[in-house]
């Protein structure tokens, strides 16, 4: 089959062991993001199977209608960026491996690395040392031990981060949906009496929630303005969970001291003057929470298995199975 893989910005997939699963297929790997739907559809002309790299490229009705010859779109995980109905109308089978096989350890590791980086002012310390000033040009760092980490969300990744935090001597508390808070309490976790108390009493707030239509903009400007001056905000989940402009307002009002952000609106962000990317109290990383060799090899191995199952006329993990049923009738 002619297989196109989208958005491999690191151009790393071809070097991973899992790529061997596509031996025998005619594979094209795109290493940049198509700037618009028309360009994306043109790139995919002639493709039979398309592999999505998480939610980097959206499959909108416009894209779906323009697909010419594509039989399969395959990915792994949640797919709010894919218009399944439009693919069904276009006769394109959509397969996504949705099974839960444990938390993203790589995201949890980056999260805690960012917490240490923010509290110890590591970017400034590195810059000071390289400038020959040794300790002279960087702020005085703060201990991780003894701080209170507020985890916003009670999913698998948040609980892994909680384990890291406790190993470093942090106090941990959670805030989440009503049901998740009840589970946290039943598990013996600390849950503040109110949302306002959670934000006001956390030295570090780290966000761990899925972005859905219900959770978009869930964290408001008022939430961040209620944090303690000098506190740290960490987001390795999705930018859309936080009200637009709220982080900048909280930083510029000195309500939070630092923001360590792995996620941004409109990724990839290529403008060095972007107000968040360039802010002196923002530690930016380019959405690499899940981007490690081990994690990508695992995830894409699952996706290539979907391609091979389809190629063998035995598709699995079908999101719109009516397309396959219709195609075989």
């Amino acid at each position: 089959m002619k297989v196109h893989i989208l958005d491999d910005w690191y151009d790393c997939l071809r070097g991973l062991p899992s790529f061997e699963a596509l031996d025998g297929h005619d594979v094209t790997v795109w290493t940049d993001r198509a700037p618009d739907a028309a360009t994306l559809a043109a790139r995919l002309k002639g493709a039979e199977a398309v592999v999505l790299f998480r939610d980097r490229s959206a499959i909108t009705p416009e894209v779906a209608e323009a697909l010419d010859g594509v039989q399969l779109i395959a990915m792994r995980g949640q797919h709010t960026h894919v218009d399944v109905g439009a693919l069904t109308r276009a006769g394109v089978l959509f397969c996504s491996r949705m099974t839960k096989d444990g938390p993203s350890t790589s995201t949890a590791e980056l999260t805690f690395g960012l917490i240490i980086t923010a509290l110890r002012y590591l970017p400034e310390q590195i810059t000071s040392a390289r400038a020959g000033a040794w300790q002279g040009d960087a702020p005085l760092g703060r201990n991780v031990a003894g701080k209170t980490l507020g985890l916003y969300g009670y999913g698998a990744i948040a609980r892994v981060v909680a384990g890291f935090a406790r190993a470093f001597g942090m106090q941990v508390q959670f805030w989440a949906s009503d049901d998740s808070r009840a589970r946290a309490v039943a598990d013996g976790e600390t849950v503040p009496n109110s949302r306002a108390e959670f934000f006001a009493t956390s030295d570090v707030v780290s966000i761990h929630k899925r972005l859905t239509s219900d959770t978009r903009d869930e964290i408001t400007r008022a939430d961040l303005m209620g944090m303690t001056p000098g506190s740290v905000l960490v987001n390795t989940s999705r930018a859309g969970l936080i009200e637009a402009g709220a982080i900048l307002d909280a930083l510029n009002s000195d309500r939070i001291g630092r923001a360590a952000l792995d996620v941004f609106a409109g990724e990839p962000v290529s403008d060095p003057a972007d107000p968040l990317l360039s802010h002196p109290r923002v530690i930016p990383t380019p959405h690499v929470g899940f981007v490690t060799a081990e994690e990508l090899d695992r995830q894409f191995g699952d996706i290539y298995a979907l391609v091979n199952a389809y190629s063998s006329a035995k598709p699995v993990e079908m999101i719109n199975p009516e397309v396959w049923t219709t195609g075989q009738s």
Side-chain angles (χ1 to χ4, degrees):
M1 294 183 67
K2 293 182 178 179
V3 180
H4 284 225
I5 302 175
L6 297 180
D7 299 309
D8 180 14
W9 300 338
Y10 260 113
D11 194 10
C12 63
L13 296 180
R14 284 175 281 212
L16 298 177
S18 59
F19 197 75
E20 294 179 0
L22 295 181
D23 286 352
H25 296 293
D26 180 0
V27 182
T28 299
V29 180
W30 295 95
T31 59
D32 64 332
R33 184 175 185 172
D36 50 53
T39 303
L40 177 58
R43 285 184 174 185
L44 298 179
K45 188 174 181 60
E48 295 171 291
V50 176
V51 170
L52 300 184
F53 201 124
R54 300 282 287 255
D55 56 355
R56 291 181 175 181
S57 283
I59 303 300
T60 63
E62 181 183 0
V63 172
E65 291 168 7
L67 294 176
D68 182 13
V70 174
Q71 304 165 26
L72 170 72
I73 290 183
M75 64 166 289
R76 189 180 188 278
Q78 299 293 321
H79 45 79
T80 56
H81 61 299
V82 175
D83 192 315
V84 178
L87 288 178
T88 301
R89 291 190 295 274
V92 178
L93 183 65
F94 177 49
C95 296
S96 181
R97 187 170 189 270
M98 300 292 293
T99 184
K100 294 181 179 180
D101 53 1
S104 172
T105 303
S106 57
T107 301
E109 290 174 348
L110 178 67
T111 298
F112 204 75
L114 290 174
I115 292 170
I116 295 173
T117 297
L119 289 173
R120 297 299 297 271
Y121 294 96
L122 293 186
E124 291 87 348
Q125 302 290 359
I126 292 167
T127 298
S128 180
R130 285 179 170 168
W134 201 235
Q135 298 177 4
D137 287 345
L140 182 64
R142 293 177 286 165
N143 281 2
V144 176
K147 299 295 185 295
T148 296
L149 172 61
L151 292 165
Y152 190 90
Y154 193 60
I157 294 176
R159 294 196 296 273
V160 173
V161 175
F164 294 163
R166 292 185 176 113
F168 276 77
M170 299 186 84
Q171 305 298 315
V172 177
Q173 60 185 12
F174 290 90
W175 193 260
S177 66
D178 292 348
D179 289 344
S180 292
R181 294 201 309 277
R183 285 194 295 114
V185 170
D187 291 342
E189 300 289 357
T190 299
V191 176
N193 293 320
S194 69
R195 182 184 186 91
E197 181 182 335
F198 168 82
F199 282 99
T201 59
S202 296
D203 298 300
V204 179
V205 169
S206 186
I207 301 168
H208 300 282
K209 270 200 147 185
R210 295 186 187 277
L211 177 62
T212 67
S213 57
D214 291 332
T215 61
R216 182 173 293 279
D217 298 332
E218 181 174 285
I219 298 171
T220 67
R221 181 175 279 97
D223 289 330
L224 300 191
M225 294 299 282
M227 291 177 67
T228 303
S231 57
V232 174
L233 175 71
V234 179
N235 190 2
T236 56
S237 292
R238 287 294 186 272
L241 293 164
I242 303 176
E243 180 183 351
I247 297 176
L248 274 177
D249 285 353
L251 284 167
N252 292 334
S253 302
D254 292 326
R255 294 307 304 178
I256 58 176
R258 309 270 277 171
L261 307 175
D262 188 47
V263 288
F264 296 83
E267 295 178 2
V269 181
S270 55
D271 180 7
D274 177 88
L276 273 179
L277 198 70
S278 63
H279 197 286
R281 287 189 282 128
V282 169
I283 301 167
T285 52
H287 203 156
V288 292
F290 71 99
V291 182
T292 64
E294 295 86 353
E295 185 68 16
L296 292 182
D297 194 48
R298 179 173 70 95
Q299 292 193 15
F300 278 86
D302 288 344
I303 301 173
Y304 303 151
L306 300 179
V307 174
N308 286 330
Y310 178 86
S311 180
S312 300
K314 297 178 181 179
V316 294
E317 310 284 359
M318 293 182 284
I319 305 301
N320 56 347
E322 61 271 30
V323 171
W324 176 253
T325 303
T326 301
Q328 298 306 296
S329 61

